[in-house]
Amino acid sequence: MNGNEITPGQAMQDVFEEFRIDGAVNKVVFRDFNLWYGENHVLKDISVEIKSNIITSIMGPSGCGKSTFLRAIDRMNDIIPECRTSGQVFIDEDNVYAEDVDVYELRKRVGMVFQKPNPFPQSVYDNVAYGVRIHGMANGRELDEAVERSLRMAALWDEVSDRLDESALTLSGGQQQRLCIARALAVEPEILLMDEPCSALDPIATAKIETLMRSLQEKYTVVLVTHNLQQAARVSDMTAFMYIGEVVEFGRTKDLFENPEKELTENYITGKFG
């Protein structure tokens, strides 16, 4: 077999990837969305459709608005003084910026994992149980089951099942990040936002998080901000390239990396700037 031939397994994988994207429905839709911090116009006329149950990567140089884009989905930018917006962001058919939106309920639908692991200075168990308790979703045996289920989904249960009463701060960096993922999953969100979740991790821990992301997309819509172009290429189905507050190009990850439509995108992925 020469280097250009495609194995049957690869061909089936390509078919699966095509079906997964083509058969997916819109989960998060930006329509002419703008965001300002005071006079600083951070997001400019964003119109993007993020499909359900796939991984969508947002990439671009530092300061281009990637994290602000991500936080616009669960309205975490609202806590920043002088933040104002125009346009719309929909989850399913609900405009999350409508005046009657309950932001508390919105953030039950959208979990978030940050760049650096941020476990609470509590036990492993209490970290995962925190959101479930706050929202009154379970107690007693049901709470125990929710904690175990979430840790299993985060591929962490086998490593901590005998350490649930220990401080979460005793875990390794990679374990702490998976614990934060379990904490986000415990409240049963529909969407998982991940803001450079591997930037502080070593390659082994990064590989575990990437494998975990792939498994989670069967149940969740995952939106990933990353500086790592190789990571975007490895794990995501769709990719958006942002530059100075604008989405320059958005499409299938394979197409964007192998045949970008915009010269600016090509310059970025070939390392001419970044």
Side-chain angles (χ1 to χ4, degrees), residues 111-114 117-120 123-132 137 143 145-158 160 164 168 171 174-189 192-194 209 212 216 220:
M112 190 160 187
V113 178
F114 297 93
N118 60 340
F120 302 142
S123 70
V124 170
Y125 182 98
D126 287 337
N127 264 267
V128 182
Y130 179 82
V132 180
M137 297 172 64
L143 182 60
E145 292 172 350
V147 169
E148 179 176 347
R149 181 174 63 251
S150 302
L151 287 168
R152 286 189 182 280
M153 285 192 293
L156 190 58
W157 174 256
D158 291 342
V160 301
L164 296 180
L171 302 180
Q175 289 174 327
Q176 287 184 14
Q177 192 64 298
R178 281 181 285 150
L179 179 68
C180 293
I181 292 172
R183 188 174 66 198
L185 297 177
V187 296
E188 301 180 2
L192 186 62
L193 309 179
M194 308 186 81
I209 297 292
L212 174 58
L216 290 175
Y220 304 96

Side-chain angles (χ1 to χ4, degrees), residues 7 11-12 15 23 31-32 53 79 82 87 98 107 114 182 187 192 224 240 252 257:
T7 67
M12 287 303 295
V15 169
R31 285 282 180 263
D32 301 318
N53 297 101
I79 65 176
E82 299 186 340
R107 291 175 186 160
F114 297 93
V187 296
L192 186 62
L224 167 71
R252 296 174 188 268
F257 276 90

Side-chain angles (χ1 to χ4, degrees), residues 153-174:
M153 285 192 293
L156 190 58
W157 174 256
D158 291 342
E159 298 172 39
V160 301
S161 60
D162 60 348
R163 303 172 59 187
L164 296 180
D165 293 331
E166 294 183 18
S167 170
L169 302 181
T170 65
L171 302 180
S172 70

Side-chain angles (χ1 to χ4, degrees), residues 204-223:
I204 294 175
T206 294
K208 289 182 179 181
I209 297 292
E210 290 181 357
T211 299
L212 174 58
M213 279 191 266
R214 273 300 190 186
S215 68
L216 290 175
Q217 72 182 107
E218 297 300 322
K219 186 174 181 180
Y220 304 96
T221 299
V222 180
V223 188

Side-chain angles (χ1 to χ4, degrees), residues 32-253:
D32 301 318
F33 186 77
N34 291 267
L35 184 143
W36 295 263
Y37 297 143
E39 297 302 315
N40 185 16
H41 195 177
V42 181
L43 297 180
K44 305 170 183 176
D45 298 320
I46 304 293
S47 290
V48 167
E49 296 176 351
I50 295 173
K51 302 292 185 181
S52 63
N53 297 101
I54 65 171
I55 300 174
T56 298
S57 286
I58 314 298
M59 67 178 190
S62 297
C64 70
K66 302 185 300 297
S67 294
T68 300
F69 175 101
L70 201 68
R71 294 194 302 264
I73 297 173
D74 66 353
R75 290 185 53 173
M76 285 195 66
N77 296 310
D78 290 8
I79 65 176
I80 298 174
E82 299 186 340
C83 177
R84 58 190 175 91
T85 66
S86 69
Q88 299 169 313
V89 179
F90 293 91
I91 296 178
D92 297 327
E93 297 182 356
D94 301 322
N95 178 12
V96 303
Y97 284 86
E99 291 184 0
D100 61 348
V101 165
D102 186 333
V103 177
Y104 179 83
E105 291 297 320
L106 168 65
R107 291 175 186 160
K108 284 177 63 177
R109 300 178 67 185
V110 185
M112 190 160 187
V113 178
F114 297 93
Q115 182 175 359
K116 294 182 180 180
N118 60 340
F120 302 142
Q122 300 174 327
S123 70
V124 170
Y125 182 98
D126 287 337
N127 264 267
V128 182
Y130 179 82
V132 180
R133 285 172 169 152
I134 290 295
H135 293 296
M137 297 172 64
N139 53 52
R141 184 171 181 176
E142 289 183 348
L143 182 60
D144 293 342
E145 292 172 350
V147 169
E148 179 176 347
R149 181 174 63 251
S150 302
L151 287 168
R152 286 189 182 280
M153 285 192 293
L156 190 58
W157 174 256
D158 291 342
E159 298 172 39
V160 301
S161 60
D162 60 348
R163 303 172 59 187
L164 296 180
D165 293 331
E166 294 183 18
S167 170
L169 302 181
T170 65
L171 302 180
S172 70
Q175 289 174 327
Q176 287 184 14
Q177 192 64 298
R178 281 181 285 150
L179 179 68
C180 293
I181 292 172
R183 188 174 66 198
L185 297 177
V187 296
E188 301 180 2
E190 302 164 31
I191 300 163
L192 186 62
L193 309 179
M194 308 186 81
D195 193 354
E196 298 190 62
C198 303
S199 64
L201 304 181
D202 62 46
I204 294 175
T206 294
K208 289 182 179 181
I209 297 292
E210 290 181 357
T211 299
L212 174 58
M213 279 191 266
R214 273 300 190 186
S215 68
L216 290 175
Q217 72 182 107
E218 297 300 322
K219 186 174 181 180
Y220 304 96
T221 299
V222 180
V223 188
L224 167 71
V225 162
T226 181
H227 268 114
N228 188 324
L229 303 187
Q230 290 78 20
Q231 183 175 74
R234 282 193 300 266
V235 306
S236 60
D237 306 288
M238 301 286 289
T239 297
F241 167 56
M242 292 188 67
Y243 186 69
I244 315 180
E246 298 180 354
V247 174
V248 175
E249 189 165 346
F250 180 58
R252 296 174 188 268
T253 299

